[in-house]
Amino acid sequence: MSFNVAIDGPAGAGKSTVAKSVAALKNFIYVDTGAMYRAMALYFLRQGIDKTDENAINATLDKVEITIRYENGAQQVILNGENVSGLIRTEEVGNMASATSVYKKVREKLVELQKDLAKKADVIMDGRDIGTCVLPDADVKVYLTASSAVRAKRRYHELKEKGTACDLGEIEKDIIERDYRDMHRENSPLKQADDAVLLDSSDMTLKEVVDTITAMIDKKQGA
């Protein structure tokens, strides 16, 4: 039996960083759902499909198989048997992924692939609807959040370190607007699963968050 961990929460809460750290400690597969959307987008680009042609996109979905595996500790994204890890981080692929991820059939296809992956391996998955839609029977569910002010400061420091000009007030405004969109979207809105543990990381270090979730997994595995 595989062991599944679901981490949901708003943008900037640190879900991916935490999930990757916990996965490394527990030797789980971290399922990068964003990378899966990018691999799907790469397939559409290769087929020459326009990102606004939802019908054409839907018609190709049965021909797409995406999975994630680890080799020497590094994540590898496999599209129809081909390792495309080095091809999916371009601006073109990102734009296509952003445009096509809103389509209902695309989301349904990737949820199906994510569920299949979770049946075969011990996984930790983060997103907006993992505990509510993708892995409703996950062994451990966490809703990871932080105040909009804290999330904005984290993002601000990330951008400053990269030398990017930014405004803290604008960043927080964007985060609040994104929270609203995520929580009110028609398909799979962001919300805390009824059986998820609420974890507010506003006053916690990364290590404290990782240790807390790791302890939850250890307790569940020992039960």
Side-chain angles (χ1 to χ4, degrees), residues 85-125:
S85 304
L87 305 174
I88 61 173
R89 299 299 174 185
T90 66
E91 195 72 19
E92 184 184 24
V93 170
N95 289 336
M96 176 63 93
S98 178
T100 57
S101 63
V102 300
Y103 297 139
K104 187 170 185 284
K105 292 294 183 183
V106 170
R107 299 191 73 86
E108 287 176 351
K109 173 68 176 185
L110 280 165
V111 166
E112 172 193 327
L113 292 171
Q114 289 155 11
K115 283 177 180 284
D116 188 53
L117 193 54
K119 288 176 184 175
K120 298 174 181 175
D122 296 336
V123 303
I124 182 164
M125 206 178 293

Side-chain angles (χ1 to χ4, degrees), residues 29 96 157:
I29 288 179
M96 176 63 93
H157 289 307

Side-chain angles (χ1 to χ4, degrees), residues 7 14 24 49 66 118 200-201:
I7 300 180
I49 301 173
I66 300 166
D200 190 323
S201 68

Side-chain angles (χ1 to χ4, degrees), residues 62-86:
D62 287 343
K63 301 171 185 174
V64 184
E65 189 70 30
I66 300 166
T67 192
I68 289 175
R69 66 176 184 234
Y70 277 76
E71 294 176 3
N72 301 319
Q75 174 183 281
Q76 307 297 328
V77 184
I78 312 302
L79 169 64
N80 291 342
E82 176 191 355
N83 189 330
V84 295
S85 304

Side-chain angles (χ1 to χ4, degrees), residues 112-156:
E112 172 193 327
L113 292 171
Q114 289 155 11
K115 283 177 180 284
D116 188 53
L117 193 54
K119 288 176 184 175
K120 298 174 181 175
D122 296 336
V123 303
I124 182 164
M125 206 178 293
D126 71 277
R128 305 286 190 277
D129 60 350
I130 307 303
T132 53
C133 299
V134 183
L135 300 178
D137 299 319
D139 300 277
V140 170
K141 293 183 186 179
V142 175
Y143 188 85
L144 181 65
T145 190
S147 70
S148 60
V150 167
R151 287 184 281 141
K153 284 178 184 175
R154 290 173 181 169
R155 182 62 177 155
Y156 176 81

Side-chain angles (χ1 to χ4, degrees), residues 37-53:
Y37 279 100
R38 282 175 171 268
M40 184 80 81
L42 177 64
Y43 180 82
F44 299 148
L45 285 168
R46 286 176 167 180
Q47 298 304 307
I49 301 173
D50 189 282
K51 62 186 177 184
T52 63
D53 193 343

